[in-house]
């Protein structure tokens, strides 16, 4: 699952940052804004991917502890 999340994030990041760089190179209007949005989007999607992976890992631990506690009673 982690590999899928990061490949997904990488693909969209490359699209956004690539388009931002293309717009800067070709001097399109608001090129710096497009590049800034692309970089911010990339950072956000990578952070969200990492956080979801981290959260899923901790949910497994909580579920295991809950099963252990409930099975004792």
């Amino acid at each position: 699952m982690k590999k899928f999340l990061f490949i997904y994030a990488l693909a969209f990041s490359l699209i956004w940052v690539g388009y931002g760089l293309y717009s800067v190179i070709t001097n399109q209007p608001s090129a710096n804004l497009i590049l800034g949005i692309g970089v911010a989007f990339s950072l956000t999607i990578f952070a969200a991917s990492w956080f979801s992976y981290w959260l899923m890992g901790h949910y497994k631990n909580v579920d295991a502890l809950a099963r252990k506690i409930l099975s004792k009673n």
Side-chain angles (χ1 to χ4, degrees):
M1 186 66 150
K2 182 179 182 180
K3 187 183 247 186
F4 172 75
L5 291 173
F6 283 106
I7 290 173
Y8 179 79
L10 181 64
F12 278 100
S13 295
L14 287 175
I15 291 169
W16 274 96
V17 173
Y19 182 67
L21 289 173
Y22 171 77
S23 63
V24 167
I25 291 170
T26 58
N27 282 333
Q28 293 182 4
S30 302
N32 292 329
L33 180 63
I34 294 170
L35 181 61
I37 289 171
V39 170
F41 175 77
S42 298
L43 292 174
T44 303
I45 199 165
F46 274 111
S49 298
W50 174 83
F51 181 69
S52 67
Y53 179 75
W54 178 83
L55 196 59
M56 285 189 306
H58 279 77
Y59 278 146
K60 291 176 186 174
N61 293 337
V62 171
D63 286 341
L65 286 172
R67 263 184 261 137
K68 183 179 176 182
I69 291 170
L70 292 175
S71 66
K72 286 183 182 179
N73 292 336

